[in-house]
Amino acid sequence: MTSVVLLDYGSGNLHSAERALVRAGAQVEVTADHRAALAADGLVVPGVGAFAACMAGLREVRGERIIGQRLAGGRPVLGICVGMQILFERGVEFGVETEGCGEWPGTVDKLDAPVLPHMGWNTVEAPAESVLFAGMDAGTRFYFVHTYAARSWELPPSDHLAAPKLTWTEHGSRFLAAVENGALSATQFHPEKSGDAGAQLLSNWVKSL
């Protein structure tokens, strides 16, 4: 059975994420143990709350090193919600800038929308070649709860690397709903709270490991 570690660094809805991953066909261990996290077929990085608090918790367990080591070896990682945001270079909340993991260039900042937080179900614009969204139609909805997001993509195209697969949605303005970039994938929405659609997305990811 495919093994997945759900990284426990003090942030994220671990119980519902664990149940959803088991439903998707994974054997799940919730831990911050480095050996387990590096050995698993897949690593899931959850996250709720503030960018700065998540980064502080991640650094306490040296989670940014785990992520970096896995990606250096081409080992899959999936970030969820703030677990997606902290993969970028920086986050800006209440005028305070916090350094992220830096796996992707760019800034996570406040959505430009009349109603915040953004809370509810949105359709997304996924590329046809997406692995995460394979088998889903254009009207599929996912559940979002957030105030901040990555609203642009700053990674330049490369002649040597495959172009990242970017999935967009809109709340006031466009923002990234998901990114698939080699071994590193992430969703701004919560697949574990997105019913059958989220279950299919997680199943697609687990099957790709």
Side-chain angles (χ1 to χ4, degrees):
M1 181 177 286
T2 303
S3 62
V4 170
V5 160
L6 183 59
L7 189 61
D8 183 4
Y9 65 101
S11 178
N13 192 345
L14 298 177
H15 295 302
S16 62
E18 180 182 12
R19 288 195 300 270
L21 287 162
V22 169
R23 179 184 175 192
Q27 179 180 329
V28 183
E29 182 178 1
V30 181
T31 183
D33 180 79
H34 279 226
R35 288 186 181 181
L38 292 173
D41 296 318
L43 176 71
V44 175
V45 183
V48 296
F51 188 107
C54 282
M55 277 307 304
L58 193 69
R59 289 193 177 102
E60 282 187 11
V61 301
R62 295 182 296 158
E64 78 282 11
R65 295 186 185 182
I66 295 172
I67 293 168
Q69 284 180 268
R70 284 190 62 90
L71 294 177
R75 306 279 284 164
V77 176
L78 175 67
I80 294 175
C81 196
V82 185
M84 169 178 172
Q85 296 176 8
I86 58 177
L87 297 171
F88 288 86
E89 281 184 321
R90 69 190 72 85
V92 178
E93 296 179 347
F94 306 107
V96 177
E97 183 174 310
T98 302
E99 182 181 351
C101 292
E103 297 296 341
W104 292 322
T107 301
V108 171
D109 57 10
K110 194 173 184 179
L111 289 171
D112 182 11
V115 177
L116 292 172
H118 171 217
M119 185 181 300
W121 297 81
N122 275 53
T123 57
V124 300
E125 302 168 18
E129 67 276 15
S130 169
V131 172
L132 292 181
F133 298 93
M136 303 187 204
D137 62 41
T140 303
R141 295 179 177 270
F142 299 88
Y143 188 74
F144 292 80
V145 183
H146 63 119
T147 298
Y148 298 84
R151 296 188 290 151
S152 64
W153 181 256
E154 299 179 15
L155 189 64
S158 168
D159 293 332
H160 307 292
L161 300 174
K165 302 177 183 70
L166 306 179
T167 296
W168 299 88
T169 191
E170 185 171 328
H171 179 71
S173 58
R174 277 168 60 86
F175 65 90
L176 281 166
V179 178
E180 297 164 73
N181 185 210
L184 183 57
S185 300
T187 67
Q188 177 59 65
F189 56 84
H190 287 274
E192 78 279 10
K193 298 180 180 179
S194 296
D196 290 343
Q200 183 174 350
L201 182 141
L202 290 175
S203 179
N204 286 345
W205 181 72
V206 169
K207 288 176 183 176
S208 75
L209 300 178

